[in-house]
Amino acid sequence: MIWNTDHWLEIWQTVRKNKLRTVLTMFSIAWGIFMLILLLAAGRGLENGIRYQFRDDAANSIWITPRITGRPFRGLRAGRPVNMTMDDYTQVAAVPGVEHITARYNLRGNFTVRYGDQFSQFPIRSVHPGHRYLEKTEMRRGRFINDRDIDQRRKVAVIGNRVVSGLFKDQDPIGEWIDINGIQYKIVGVFTDVGGPGEQRMIYIPISTGQAAYGGGRTIHRLMFTVGNADLAESQRIEKDVRTLLAERHRYDPQDPRAIRLFNHVENYQRFVALFNGIATFIWVVGIGTIIAGIVGVSNIMLIAVKERTKEIGLRKAIGAPPSDIIGLFLMESLTLTFLAGYIGLMAGIGTIELVQHLLNTIPNPPDFFRNPHVDIHAAAGATLVLVLAGVLAGLIPARRAAAIDPIVALRDE
Amino acid sequence: MIHIQQIRKSYRMGALSLEVLKGIDLTINEGELVSIMGPSGSGKSTLLNILGILDQYQEGEYHLAGTLMKNLSERKAAYYRNHYLGFVFQSFHLLEFKNALENVALPLYYQKVSRRRRNRQAMELLERVGLADRAQHMPNELSGGQKQRVAIARALISDPKVILADEPTGALDSQTSDQVMDLFREVNASGKTVVIVTHEAEIAAKTARTIHLRDGVVQNETHQVGAAS
């Protein structure tokens, strides 16, 4: 049926007969698809924007900072500081579900870092090997801090690419020694971080080295760990276990909201995922609504066409057109119209998005909340499916109406 | 060719039942040129619709070329109309957006005949009805007589067993009517069975046999001496 040139000729003849009607019908469908594509791309742009805000840190992580107790507990007064140590690190690491873990011992402010006669100010973090998974640290050369560095309190440093450009110019920094506050550190690795210039100026040293060099003892200032592929409920289970463990160890009320600050990224991330899903659903609902308006339009116009063509259909039946052929004729016409129009709308939509993207790339300060809008293959395939369905739906009622025409009535002379 | 036995047909109108055909017996042999006459309400249109397998009947039997035409599916009915019958209508019923050649070729489209062959046969028939030079003209560029000749060519293209014409000259002036009737007689002379429904005595006079209907029954038959076949 599809490859029968006669059918196409028949459709072409009827379409040509009613140019304006055809154009208007096609416009309503093209507009529907155009809007759907645009909405989908806009939704994607918003989603990309929000994901961009989350780009720096692992979305599946939980961060804990010790604070000061807010409630008295078991005879102990409120207002005691919670002092976390390396033992907390070891014990939390043992909690089931905890994947990569690191502690941080904070070294406040910027440090003067010198290499030969070059020097500059950089921030420093002393961390565990697991830290690279928490900050999405991307190694460019060499290695990150390892367990042996921690055990032996080695004076090694992993530096960001901006540190390299600040101190080393074109020289290979691996194996070179830098001076931080009078202590020599050997550079073992270079990294980059999507988190921006601030993260790329960072220098990482082993936490044990940092504690020893700056009088920290076994103190830690923050615990951060990832939870693998845990879903929201699982992450909350892990969160609860860790809270209980810490409350037990440091003897504070587990319900005390001020003793520690715990930030569950999974929860936050899930909330945004839910938001994206909501937006996506909304877009499909609105888009499909627009297309339904198009379908109703096509259907309506085709119904008028059937009425106008009553005599023709009656004649076709009288000279031997089987009902299936009449149905096929109208279905094919409606399918062809919707598909062609939809394709035009699809292309126009994609063209517009390309243009918007081009503009976003050229303006000096692109908005953070709206990035890289585009239509992926799924959305395009979805839209195409909707189109075919729309074509069939739009043609179905008129085609059945046409097939039901009684040639005797249709051909009766007035 | 056509054999009708005690055909009865009634229409339901709400609670009432209106009987239009009240037991018609009719036999038309192959190669006959027959007219059916009768005043309006005599049932001649209904009879023609039944002959044309466009309408059902409740009682009796209708055999067309030896095949019983009763309770056919739409698909079967379409098949028999396409292969056994050729229709000619009062108002021609040509498709306005197709040219003369395409109009003539249309019945073969439903026989899945290739376009090349369709158009060749259509051209032969247009030559036969004297309109070869009008093949590419659209219906609105043709006169009434020309339109009806195109319609007759269309009725002939599937090489049907019977040509059914419903008031074929009703929309034509007397001179063109004569030409069209001459064409029917010529078609009949080539061996086709032709049945013409008319209310004009002059037209009926040009057929060999006239069947007079009144109140849903065959009232009488007349035979014209000197008419065709």
Side-chain angles (χ1 to χ4, degrees), chain A residues 6 10 13 316 319 413, chain B residues 81-82 91 98 110 118:
Chain A
D6 284 329
E10 292 280 307
Q13 282 183 337
R316 283 177 187 273
I319 64 175
D413 293 306
Chain B
R81 283 199 295 269
N82 188 234
S91 48
K98 287 179 183 289
Y110 293 113
R118 250 167 32 214

Side-chain angles (χ1 to χ4, degrees), chain A residues 229-248:
Chain A
N229 292 323
D231 58 9
L232 182 59
E234 175 71 3
S235 81
Q236 282 166 337
R237 203 264 311 152
I238 297 167
E239 177 189 324
K240 189 165 160 278
D241 287 356
V242 171
R243 277 185 188 279
T244 313
L245 174 73
L246 291 177
E248 190 69 30

Side-chain angles (χ1 to χ4, degrees), chain B residues 5-224:
Chain B
Q5 254 183 317
Q6 279 302 307
I7 284 222
R8 284 172 186 278
K9 166 86 182 170
S10 53
Y11 293 103
R12 294 201 68 83
M13 298 182 123
L16 294 172
S17 176
L18 181 69
E19 193 164 44
V20 181
L21 299 181
K22 302 168 180 167
I24 292 204
D25 289 303
L26 182 62
T27 300
I28 297 171
N29 294 316
E30 188 170 358
E32 271 197 279
L33 175 58
V34 180
S35 57
I36 299 175
M37 279 197 79
S40 67
S42 61
K44 63 180 192 303
S45 292
T46 306
L47 179 60
L48 190 79
N49 287 337
I50 288 171
L51 290 178
I53 328 174
L54 292 166
D55 208 349
Q56 308 268 0
Y57 52 94
Q58 281 101 11
E59 282 174 50
E61 283 185 351
Y62 165 31
H63 287 89
L64 174 60
T67 315
L68 176 64
M69 301 291 157
K70 193 168 190 178
N71 299 329
L72 298 174
S73 68
E74 277 223 51
R75 181 167 201 87
K76 272 269 181 233
Y79 175 86
Y80 285 126
R81 283 199 295 269
N82 188 234
H83 286 80
Y84 286 14
L85 298 170
F87 288 92
V88 177
F89 304 93
Q90 180 175 354
S91 48
F92 327 123
H93 290 311
L94 301 179
L95 299 192
E96 289 300 321
F97 55 92
K98 287 179 183 289
N99 65 28
L101 187 78
E102 290 166 331
N103 265 293
V104 173
L106 194 60
L108 291 188
Y109 169 69
Y110 293 113
Q111 290 186 6
K112 312 263 182 267
V113 175
S114 77
R115 196 162 73 242
R116 186 192 295 259
R117 250 185 72 196
R118 250 167 32 214
N119 287 348
R120 202 181 58 224
Q121 275 176 262
M123 199 61 214
E124 284 168 15
L125 276 161
L126 280 175
E127 272 167 34
R128 190 171 153 191
V129 301
L131 287 174
D133 55 333
R134 296 281 190 275
Q136 304 303 323
H137 286 225
M138 303 307 273
N140 58 10
E141 299 164 334
L142 299 173
S143 71
Q146 287 171 334
K147 283 186 197 176
Q148 199 58 305
R149 280 189 281 164
V150 170
I152 292 170
R154 179 180 64 192
L156 286 169
I157 197 162
S158 55
D159 192 23
K161 301 189 181 300
V162 177
I163 302 279
L164 291 174
D166 187 6
E167 304 276 8
T169 59
L172 303 175
D173 60 54
S174 60
Q175 201 190 335
T176 1
S177 293
D178 286 347
Q179 288 168 4
V180 165
M181 281 314 292
D182 287 344
L183 185 54
F184 275 122
R185 288 159 65 121
E186 187 195 312
V187 166
N188 174 246
S190 73
K192 282 261 176 291
T193 313
V194 179
V195 178
I196 299 173
V197 169
T198 183
H199 65 275
E200 294 174 71
E202 292 162 50
I203 299 301
K206 292 193 166 139
T207 61
R209 174 183 166 202
T210 305
I211 294 150
H212 296 271
L213 286 191
R214 180 175 283 273
D215 295 333
V217 290
V218 176
Q219 194 178 35
N220 65 329
E221 282 191 23
T222 53
H223 292 259
Q224 288 79 3

Side-chain angles (χ1 to χ4, degrees), chain A residues 342-354:
Chain A
Y343 192 73
I344 292 168
L346 196 72
M347 288 299 123
I350 289 172
T352 309
I353 291 154
E354 291 292 321

Side-chain angles (χ1 to χ4, degrees), chain A residues 147-395:
Chain A
D147 288 329
R148 202 175 290 175
D149 296 334
I150 305 285
D151 292 344
Q152 302 178 3
R153 294 184 191 159
R154 281 177 177 167
K155 298 191 189 72
V156 293
V158 179
I159 60 176
N161 50 1
R162 294 209 175 223
V163 182
V164 178
S165 51
L167 294 179
F168 293 90
K169 307 290 181 264
D170 299 328
Q171 203 190 332
D172 181 5
I174 303 283
E176 298 298 318
W177 293 78
I178 51 172
D179 180 299
I180 305 173
N181 271 12
I183 302 171
Q184 297 284 311
Y185 291 85
K186 189 182 184 182
I187 294 168
V188 293
V190 176
F191 69 89
T192 187
D193 192 308
V194 290
E199 292 291 334
Q200 291 167 14
R201 289 172 53 81
M202 195 60 70
I203 294 175
Y204 288 115
I205 61 172
I207 188 167
S208 49
T209 314
Q211 285 162 335
Y214 298 95
R218 291 171 53 78
T219 305
I220 62 173
H221 295 121
R222 180 176 279 178
L223 260 181
M224 306 146 80
F225 58 87
T226 60
V227 292
N229 292 323
D231 58 9
L232 182 59
E234 175 71 3
S235 81
Q236 282 166 337
R237 203 264 311 152
I238 297 167
E239 177 189 324
K240 189 165 160 278
D241 287 356
V242 171
R243 277 185 188 279
T244 313
L245 174 73
L246 291 177
E248 190 69 30
R249 280 178 50 74
H250 297 282
R251 285 191 228 140
Y252 60 83
D253 184 348
Q255 306 302 320
D256 188 344
R258 295 176 62 181
I260 58 164
R261 193 176 66 195
L262 186 146
F263 194 73
N264 188 342
H265 278 86
V266 181
E267 215 170 75
N268 222 14
Y269 188 70
Q270 290 295 334
R271 206 176 298 143
F272 276 108
V273 167
L275 181 71
F276 299 148
N277 290 342
I279 292 174
T281 312
F282 175 74
I283 285 169
W284 276 102
V285 167
V286 171
I288 285 175
T290 319
I291 290 171
I292 285 173
I295 295 175
V296 171
V298 173
S299 208
N300 216 348
I301 287 175
M302 296 268 311
L303 273 175
I304 296 170
V306 168
K307 208 163 174 62
E308 273 179 6
R309 291 168 69 183
T310 301
K311 268 196 186 327
E312 176 199 334
I313 295 158
L315 176 90
R316 283 177 187 273
K317 293 182 94 173
I319 64 175
S324 59
D325 202 279
I326 302 288
I327 289 179
L329 189 68
F330 280 88
L331 270 189
M332 284 281 282
E333 187 179 328
S334 126
L335 247 176
T336 308
L337 287 189
T338 44
F339 207 84
L340 266 180
Y343 192 73
I344 292 168
L346 196 72
M347 288 299 123
I350 289 172
T352 309
I353 291 154
E354 291 292 321
L355 192 74
V356 168
Q357 230 175 18
H358 178 74
L359 288 176
L360 279 177
N361 288 340
T362 46
I363 58 173
N365 287 312
D368 266 353
F369 61 88
F370 193 82
R371 297 176 68 86
N372 191 23
H374 68 275
V375 186
D376 61 15
I377 189 80
H378 296 289
T384 311
L385 191 73
V386 166
L387 267 180
V388 176
L389 279 176
V392 173
L393 271 176

